[in-house]
Amino acid sequence: MKRQTMIIALAMIMAGAFCVDSNAGKKKSKEKKPEKEAVVMNNESDTLSYVAGMSMTQGLIPFLTQSLGVDTAYMADFVKGFQEAVKATDDPQFKAYSAGIEIAKQVKEKMLPGLANDLKDSPDSLVEALALRGFTDALQGDTTYYNIDNAGLLFKDMLSEAKEAKIEKLYGENRRAGEAFLAENAKKEGVKTTESGLQYKVIVAGEGEKPQHTDRVKVNYEGRLVDGTVFDSSAKHGDKPIEFRANQVIAGWTEALTLMPVGSKWEIYIPYNLAYGDRDQGKIKPFSALIFTVELVEIVKK
């Protein structure tokens, strides 16, 4: 019974393969295919092995076309490459050659495009031919211009400078707007400035305990950009105060919370370096100074 089942399965797979080949033939001009050696299956192990090989190809063609960009018109070339690779599995020269092909794909399709994108809008740009030359020179030990350690350090410094220039170009105006706002705000009545540059104004003076850095607190809040745009609030997350540990938030928040007695309601003004710095947080762009109205409801006791 088991053998009969295997034979039926084989017949179904071969029938499916015949249908695929028939359809494929309609799309191409008539080409005389080379005769293949007949398959000989003398026992159940032979049958099992053959259908195992066929079943391993399930989903392979979509993967080849969609992920690897293989044109199915060249499947004969794929099969040829596959067969040569199988025969040369233990050949160290072939292993090195095939590894070079695989790494080339990673470099060309991922690493170089990623670096080019990092340099976009910066004063520098990527020259692909020189990047590839540097790559191969390093692998071959060519230190005519740089050794690999010096090249790595120089690249790190140059990339950092390029990224800083890019951020300044894209968001420098945002930084200047925040700095101007804080400079004017510091002159207003009731606004106090701490040594770190954090500014705050007491709206309601609470008389409770002040949280420690590691205390869990419950707060109501609303966050705004310096142009008045509201980007977040506790009300967006439900009708109850938000709970978190005082040191799990941006530095400006942590500092303000540890200065506020429970029951207080303050407006705090946070420079970008005490907020998200040069990171892009969606609605909050790099170098953004932030304004929060914060009500400290309670310290959560264990």
Side-chain angles (χ1 to χ4, degrees):
M1 182 66 181
K2 185 177 179 183
R3 180 179 180 82
Q4 184 179 6
T5 302
M6 294 298 293
I7 292 173
I8 293 172
L10 173 61
M12 292 176 67
I13 293 172
M14 292 183 71
F18 177 79
C19 291
V20 172
D21 287 344
S22 298
N23 291 332
K26 293 176 183 177
K27 297 177 182 178
K28 303 176 185 178
S29 59
K30 292 183 179 179
E31 297 176 359
K32 187 175 181 180
K33 296 183 179 179
E35 292 185 6
K36 294 194 294 183
E37 184 180 347
V39 177
V40 178
M41 287 173 277
N42 294 318
N43 53 50
E44 193 162 307
S45 293
D46 291 346
T47 303
L48 173 76
S49 301
Y50 185 81
V51 297
M54 294 197 78
S55 66
M56 288 177 190
T57 68
Q58 290 180 347
L60 178 58
I61 290 181
F63 174 75
L64 292 175
T65 56
Q66 297 169 19
S67 300
L68 302 183
V70 174
D71 186 337
T72 54
Y74 298 94
M75 283 305 295
D77 296 283
F78 170 81
V79 170
K80 181 180 178 182
F82 174 81
Q83 291 172 333
E84 290 179 357
V86 169
K87 291 178 181 177
T89 300
D90 297 322
D91 182 347
Q93 185 175 5
F94 182 83
K95 279 186 178 180
Y97 181 81
S98 58
I101 294 173
E102 184 60 34
I103 296 302
K105 286 182 60 180
Q106 298 294 322
V107 172
K108 283 277 291 180
E109 296 176 8
K110 294 182 180 180
M111 297 176 71
L112 292 184
L115 178 56
N117 186 63
D118 286 342
L119 294 172
K120 185 180 178 181
D121 293 315
S122 82
D124 297 314
S125 60
L126 180 68
V127 182
E128 185 174 299
L130 284 172
L132 293 172
R133 174 62 187 271
F135 187 93
T136 54
D137 279 357
L139 292 175
Q140 293 173 322
D142 187 338
T143 57
T144 304
Y145 305 102
Y146 301 98
N147 66 48
I148 192 167
D149 291 332
N150 290 339
L153 292 172
L154 181 58
F155 170 68
K156 183 178 179 181
D157 289 342
M158 294 182 72
L159 183 61
S160 178
E161 291 176 4
K163 286 184 175 180
E164 287 178 6
K166 173 180 179 176
I167 291 173
E168 179 63 26
K169 176 183 176 181
L170 295 176
Y171 304 111
E173 185 57 37
N174 191 45
R175 175 179 56 78
R176 288 186 286 274
E179 291 171 344
F181 169 83
L182 291 170
E184 288 300 313
N185 191 62
K187 302 173 185 177
K188 294 181 179 179
E189 184 178 354
V191 175
K192 298 180 180 180
T193 304
T194 69
E195 186 175 344
S196 70
L198 176 74
Q199 298 177 3
Y200 67 92
K201 180 179 181 180
V202 177
I203 300 173
V204 175
E207 298 181 354
E209 182 184 353
K210 293 181 181 179
Q212 299 298 311
H213 285 72
T214 55
D215 284 337
R216 294 191 69 81
V217 297
K218 288 185 179 181
V219 302
N220 291 314
Y221 71 90
E222 181 183 79
R224 307 185 303 279
L225 303 176
V226 296
D227 65 3
T229 301
V230 176
F231 59 82
D232 194 16
S233 71
S234 54
K236 291 183 178 180
H237 306 285
D239 57 0
K240 295 181 179 180
I242 300 295
E243 180 180 330
F244 52 84
R245 201 168 64 228
N247 61 2
Q248 286 182 318
V249 286
I250 57 177
W253 260 77
T254 299
E255 182 179 355
L257 287 170
T258 54
L259 295 174
M260 294 176 69
V262 171
S264 296
K265 185 176 182 180
W266 288 10
E267 191 163 73
I268 60 176
Y269 315 91
I270 305 178
Y272 76 87
N273 60 301
L274 298 178
Y276 295 102
D278 61 3
R279 290 172 288 166
D280 192 329
Q281 299 293 310
K283 292 181 180 179
I284 304 173
K285 296 305 177 186
F287 298 139
S288 289
L290 305 176
I291 305 167
F292 287 93
T293 301
V294 181
E295 178 187 7
L296 179 55
V297 178
E298 68 173 288
I299 299 172
V300 180
K301 299 300 182 179
K302 294 182 181 179

